[in-house]
Amino acid sequence: MESLPENNVRQPLLENPAKKEAEGEERLCIDEMLQRYCGEFGRWQMKHFVLTCLAWALEAFHTMVMIFADQEPGWRCVGSDCRVGSSYCDMDPGSWEWTEGKGSSTVAEWGLICGDKYKVGLVQALFFAGCMIGAGVFGHLSDSKLGRKGSLTVVCIINAIFGIATAFSPNYWTYVVLRFLTGFSTGGVGLTAFVLATEPVGPSKRGVAGMSTFYFFSTGIALLSGIAYVFRSWRELFIVSSLPSLLFLLIVIPFISESPRWYLVRGKVDEAMELMHTIAKTNGRHIPAGVTLALDDEEDEAVEKNNGQRNTAAEGSLKDVLQSPLTRIRLLLAVAISFTVSIVYYGLSLNVVNLKTNLYLNVFLNAVTEMPAFAITAVLLDRYGRKPLTIGTQWFSCAFCLTGFVVGGVGPWKVVRMVSGVLGIFGMAGTYNLLFIYIAELFPTVVRNAALGCATQAAQMGAILAPFVVVLGDGLPFGVFAVCGLVGGGLAFYLPETLNKPLYDTMFGMHEAESNRGRIVC
């Protein structure tokens, strides 16, 4: 492959002329075909994006329901020996009662208080442990045989089954097992939905589209706060919050398409081209005859020996990622940053129980606060790049978490601490969601979901620790969150910028492009 002229070295790779086969066939990468013939974000992508991203609301329901189901409700005195202002742990069980009855939460029904209070954090931690395992399993399956749509279908089926079954838990330990199994499937929802929604989007629109997926997650949390306000019984709440997963399977999934990138790397070129023609037609565009898809490693010997046609799947695994110094460093940094970001994001979300204010209103405000963070990040994303925003949003959150740690939790300072928590979530929500876009762009298609799965597993590990940080109480959680934000922002300095770079399909294609920017990749 010939080197480009010096003044063309900085031009985006996708702007290079496409290779032409001897018989006149034009072979293009998916990104270039989207830009030239299909449209980067037309009617087809809009419909597919919205339908797929509805799955994020389902993830919000199954994840954040713990805030309400496992809350410690109010109590009141009913006996003469009850001492108002004292702890019920020091009083006779018959001298006080829960104001909303034993069915209001798992804490009230199974007495998860005093010496058994740790069980609340345990079940929440095990839910996130299930998420961690599920992220790795479904990250691999969505890159391999199941595909993106197949994996999304499976996780929604499991979510619906175990989410509804949780409502009928006869005891605490059954509840723990069912929440773990629900977490296992929930761990695969977000990453499969994100990749499936963004892979058919053109490169110039992918950043904004990626950030927009998380509006659905925040909207789901806001809706859940309203649902929990109406359905005060934890058993009813689990049923109502799990039914949307069943509706999604029956009504939405049939109208979602598989990713053309997955078709292509699996050697299903005909299926990929059929979908690209559908995208072009729906967007009012047309793909000329003789134009076909090619992977970004089409100059590889295995392809050339087959007259330029690839009939076998392009394979990739975490082993390939770890064997390459380039991707190994990226993966380790992505894992570490995801871990610290998750501790802060989920920790601040769960920490509302320590603020001693209206729980339903606080959860709603936190969810609504996240949305401007997405909008601002989306606007700045393509202007300043992924790396500066990843650093800036974490340090923004760190500053307000530090404020929450320093101020007291009584009188007017309680309001200051609440505002610090809200602004802390504002910053970290932008980071949490930006990481999905950033990590997806750091790795090629053949290992993209596997890499995202690893980062998601690390995030779930952080989420596992978050409930235990929250039980520290008072201002200590804010101090831990401030340190995590500071460290995560520092680690982001060592990641490369991905702004205006293409989504590579194979490990070979990415290494060729990264090692020699003067060569034509596709």
Side-chain angles (χ1 to χ4, degrees):
M1 200 64 72
E2 297 180 0
S3 297
L4 292 173
E6 181 68 26
N7 60 348
N8 284 336
V9 170
R10 294 183 177 273
Q11 292 299 315
L13 294 174
L14 292 176
E15 293 180 3
N16 294 321
K19 293 174 66 178
K20 300 290 186 70
E21 300 297 328
E23 64 274 16
E25 183 182 77
E26 186 178 15
R27 296 171 59 75
L28 304 175
C29 295
I30 285 182
D31 276 348
E32 190 169 6
M33 187 175 285
L34 287 170
Q35 287 178 314
R36 294 177 60 180
Y37 298 121
C38 300
E40 295 191 68
F41 196 79
R43 289 173 52 198
W44 189 94
Q45 285 101 334
M46 174 62 78
K47 174 187 172 183
H48 184 262
F49 179 84
V50 171
L51 292 178
T52 305
C53 288
L54 289 175
W56 277 96
L58 306 180
E59 181 179 357
F61 286 173
H62 289 289
T63 301
M64 297 304 180
V65 68
M66 68 178 68
I67 297 176
F68 304 102
D70 299 335
Q71 67 170 305
E72 182 178 318
W75 60 279
R76 61 192 173 201
C77 291
V78 294
S80 57
D81 60 340
C82 178
R83 301 178 299 278
V84 178
S86 300
S87 171
Y88 46 61
C89 295
D90 301 325
M91 294 186 286
D92 183 79
S95 63
W96 63 276
E97 66 179 8
W98 300 110
T99 55
E100 296 187 29
K102 288 189 174 182
S104 59
S105 76
T106 59
V107 171
E109 180 155 339
W110 293 316
L112 308 181
I113 56 175
C114 304
D116 287 332
K117 190 173 183 178
Y118 75 94
K119 292 182 177 179
V120 177
L122 178 63
V123 68
Q124 294 177 353
L126 288 175
F127 171 84
F128 288 118
C131 290
M132 181 181 67
I133 298 172
V137 171
F138 289 106
H140 171 72
L141 290 176
S142 61
D143 277 337
S144 55
K145 297 186 182 299
L146 269 185
R148 280 70 159 125
K149 181 180 177 180
S151 295
L152 184 59
T153 302
V154 171
V155 294
C156 286
I157 291 173
I158 300 175
N159 257 345
I161 293 173
F162 291 117
I164 294 174
T166 303
F168 300 95
S169 302
N171 53 58
Y172 170 78
W173 292 110
T174 303
Y175 176 70
V176 168
V177 172
L178 290 173
R179 283 298 285 163
F180 174 82
L181 293 173
T182 305
F184 174 76
S185 56
T186 302
V189 173
L191 69 94
T192 52
F194 177 84
V195 174
L196 185 57
T198 56
E199 282 193 336
V201 177
S204 70
K205 308 294 183 183
R206 195 176 296 124
V208 174
M211 286 303 300
S212 299
T213 60
F214 303 102
Y215 285 109
F216 294 83
F217 185 81
S218 297
T219 300
I221 298 176
L223 290 174
L224 179 64
S225 63
I227 293 171
Y229 184 80
V230 174
F231 296 93
R232 297 299 182 97
S233 165
W234 72 270
R235 294 184 185 273
E236 291 178 354
L237 180 58
F238 268 106
I239 293 175
V240 175
S241 62
S242 300
L243 284 176
S245 293
L246 186 60
L247 296 176
F248 184 82
L249 281 167
L250 299 176
I251 300 174
V252 179
I253 285 286
F255 298 98
I256 293 177
S257 300
E258 182 54 87
S259 167
R261 296 181 188 276
W262 181 81
Y263 279 139
L264 187 59
V265 298
R266 298 299 297 176
K268 301 180 179 182
V269 181
D270 291 339
E271 289 88 339
M273 277 304 302
E274 182 180 354
L275 182 54
M276 297 301 285
H277 279 288
T278 300
I279 295 173
K281 182 178 179 181
T282 305
N283 291 345
R285 309 283 287 272
H286 173 69
I287 300 176
V291 177
T292 188
L293 286 170
L295 290 172
D296 50 20
D297 69 344
E298 66 178 6
E299 67 270 24
D300 183 61
E301 280 185 21
V303 181
E304 290 182 355
K305 287 180 180 179
N306 198 27
N307 296 321
Q309 296 297 319
R310 178 186 291 276
N311 295 317
T312 57
E315 300 288 348
S317 67
L318 280 178
K319 181 180 179 181
D320 299 316
V321 175
L322 294 173
Q323 285 180 337
S324 164
L326 176 69
T327 53
R328 181 171 62 243
I329 294 173
R330 292 183 179 186
L331 183 64
L332 292 176
L333 288 171
V335 163
I337 295 170
S338 296
F339 175 75
T340 57
V341 167
S342 184
I343 290 178
V344 182
Y345 177 77
Y346 284 107
L348 287 172
S349 298
L350 297 175
N351 198 51
V352 292
V353 298
N354 287 328
L355 299 179
K356 306 302 180 183
T357 52
N358 187 289
L359 181 64
Y360 305 96
L361 180 61
N362 265 347
V363 172
F364 177 81
L365 288 177
N366 283 349
V368 171
T369 301
E370 294 180 5
M371 297 183 186
F374 305 154
I376 293 173
T377 307
V379 170
L380 301 178
L381 192 63
D382 292 328
R383 179 175 298 180
Y384 297 106
R386 281 63 165 150
K387 181 175 177 177
L389 283 181
T390 303
I391 298 169
T393 50
Q394 289 185 85
W395 284 357
F396 177 91
S397 178
C398 170
F400 284 100
C401 287
L402 185 60
T403 301
F405 172 68
V406 173
V407 301
V410 294
W413 295 113
K414 182 167 66 174
V415 177
V416 175
R417 180 171 286 176
M418 183 185 72
V419 172
S420 296
V422 170
L423 292 175
I425 283 184
F426 176 88
M428 203 54 72
T431 314
Y432 194 91
N433 304 330
L434 171 60
L435 280 178
F436 270 80
I437 300 170
Y438 203 177
I439 295 170
E441 294 177 343
L442 286 170
F443 299 91
T445 301
V446 290
V447 294
R448 183 168 298 123
N449 258 26
L452 271 174
C454 272
T456 304
Q457 282 183 301
Q460 299 305 339
M461 181 62 75
I464 290 171
L465 296 179
F468 297 108
V469 175
V470 171
V471 297
L472 294 174
D474 200 30
L476 285 177
F478 280 101
V480 176
F481 303 151
V483 172
C484 289
L486 181 65
V487 172
L491 291 174
F493 270 103
Y494 298 96
L495 285 173
E497 181 57 71
T498 60
L499 179 63
N500 293 328
K501 291 185 181 179
L503 278 184
Y504 300 108
D505 294 318
T506 63
M507 294 287 288
F508 177 85
M510 187 188 74
H511 278 91
E512 286 294 290
E514 294 293 329
S515 62
N516 189 350
R517 297 298 176 81
R519 297 187 61 185
I520 299 174
V521 176
C522 92

